[in-house]
């Protein structure tokens, strides 16, 4: 529905953490408004991400900058072509 694009944007903002959490949530709120989502839905969803979003934000922050090499045994990627 109408929330899909703003939600995907918000997920990307949280994953990349290029902006603060507050900025990411504000962008999400603005994106929902731009998509024509009614006031009550916008602010209900916004309140939810402001209240509970810290859980994912902090989990992601702990792994930011890690690569696949951080999760596989040493030498696993030896000889694997990286394009």
């Amino acid at each position: 529905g109408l929330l899909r694009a703003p939600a995907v944007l918000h997920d990307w903002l949280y994953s990349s953490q290029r902006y603060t959490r507050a900025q990411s949530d504000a962008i999400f709120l603005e994106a929902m408004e731009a998509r024509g989502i009614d006031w009550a839905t916008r602010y209900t969803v916004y309140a939810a991400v402001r209240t509970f979003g810290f859980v994912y934000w902090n989990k992601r922050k702990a792994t930011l900058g890690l690569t696949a090499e951080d999760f596989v045994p040493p030498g696993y990627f030896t000889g694997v072509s990286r394009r």
Side-chain angles (χ1 to χ4, degrees), residues 22 25-26 28-29 32 41-51:
D25 292 345
F28 180 47
L29 181 62
M32 288 189 289
T41 301
R42 277 196 319 263
Y43 282 92
T44 300
V45 173
Y46 177 75
V49 298
R50 290 303 301 150
T51 302

Side-chain angles (χ1 to χ4, degrees), residues 8-67:
V8 169
L9 171 61
H10 188 254
D11 288 352
W12 180 83
L13 290 167
Y14 266 45
S15 292
S16 70
Q17 295 194 359
R18 291 181 184 218
Y19 301 94
T20 67
R21 187 172 154 249
Q23 290 170 323
S24 297
D25 292 345
I27 292 167
F28 180 47
L29 181 62
E30 188 175 330
M32 288 189 289
E33 184 176 10
R35 294 288 289 182
I37 295 167
D38 67 274
W39 183 92
T41 301
R42 277 196 319 263
Y43 282 92
T44 300
V45 173
Y46 177 75
V49 298
R50 290 303 301 150
T51 302
F52 303 109
F54 76 93
V55 174
Y56 179 78
W57 183 268
N58 292 340
K59 184 186 295 187
R60 177 64 182 136
K61 190 173 188 175
T63 62
L64 204 58
L66 297 178
T67 64

